[in-house]
Amino acid sequence: MARLIAALIRHGDYHQLPDTPSAHQPFPLTERGFEQADRAAANMARVLAEQGWVPDYRVDSSRLLRAWQTAERFCVALGPMFERPPEQQGHSALAERGVGSAANLTVAQIESILQQDPRFDPPPADWKSNSYYRLPLQGAESLMDAGDRVARHIELQMLMMEPSDTDRVRLFVGHGAAFRHAAHRLGVLEFEQIAALSMYHAEPVYIEMLEGGRWRHVAGDWKVRGKRESYAD
């Protein structure tokens, strides 16, 4: 029976506002980010050739520009390996954790807003990295909310893939924190590993869908988080 594999790809480096939770910043990749995407796509082509895996022509990315541009570079680099021209689609379901009405404000601004609003308690010191904390603002999500959303999208899209005699890889291009929480929801990472690990820019982590709704990590390295490394996407 042919294997079904999801490639989780974090976007490349991008023009990020300082001291601002990544959330839904609309900015493009930096030159370094494009280089990361091109290098990772070339590495992926080698992995696919070595394993005999065929990339599915449907390539999913979040609708944020940094993820879209990263996916576009993969489509170009893997072009000859697709059995039909790739179809890149943007999905809101693959976005990073949203902070709702506080989108693209600085950490200081967000904390000031909460302090000034008599309805809200001060956020915990680890509010940016706390998997279950959700800002008490319109439209905000917790990191686990985002992981649930991403996991559901991956599972649904993988279940809808056409039967094949060839091992298939479906590309999902999105954001590190949401992917790690999704991997936990899929049973690939233990909860403690979410904070201990990160993802390399643009380098795929491959997880295989097994019978009975189970998943396993089959290739690609998670990045061990440094002590000073930001938790942000």
Side-chain angles (χ1 to χ4, degrees), residues 5 7 41-56 74 78 81-82 167-171 206:
I5 298 165
N43 291 338
M44 184 177 192
R46 286 193 289 272
V47 170
L48 295 181
E50 291 169 359
Q51 297 292 334
W53 297 343
V54 175
D56 191 84
F74 274 80
L78 302 179
M81 306 187 78
F82 294 104
D167 293 346
R168 298 278 168 168
V169 178
R170 181 76 177 264
L171 278 66
Y206 301 90

Side-chain angles (χ1 to χ4, degrees), residues 42-163:
N43 291 338
M44 184 177 192
R46 286 193 289 272
V47 170
L48 295 181
E50 291 169 359
Q51 297 292 334
W53 297 343
V54 175
D56 191 84
Y57 70 93
R58 291 160 296 190
V59 175
D60 291 6
S61 78
S62 91
R63 297 180 63 194
L64 295 170
L65 182 55
R66 58 192 184 271
W68 177 267
Q69 289 177 320
T70 302
E72 192 172 42
R73 304 299 266 224
F74 274 80
C75 288
V76 172
L78 302 179
M81 306 187 78
F82 294 104
E83 291 187 336
R84 56 187 286 187
E87 296 179 6
Q88 181 181 343
Q89 293 188 345
H91 297 271
S92 297
L94 290 175
E96 186 58 287
R97 178 264 308 270
V99 292
S101 57
N104 300 333
L105 299 178
T106 66
V107 171
Q109 288 173 320
I110 293 172
E111 292 178 349
S112 176
I113 288 169
L114 298 184
Q115 185 179 18
Q116 295 175 53
D117 195 317
R119 298 172 296 174
F120 305 142
D121 294 326
D126 67 344
W127 71 266
K128 289 183 295 178
S129 60
N130 186 313
S131 293
Y132 289 99
Y133 179 76
R134 182 188 300 110
L135 286 169
L137 300 172
Q138 182 72 38
E141 298 177 295
S142 70
L143 286 163
M144 201 62 77
D145 290 337
D148 288 341
R149 167 169 47 72
V150 172
R152 287 194 300 270
H153 178 85
I154 292 170
E155 284 191 307
L156 177 61
Q157 297 304 314
M158 295 295 286
L159 288 170
M160 293 174 60
M161 287 178 64
E162 301 165 2

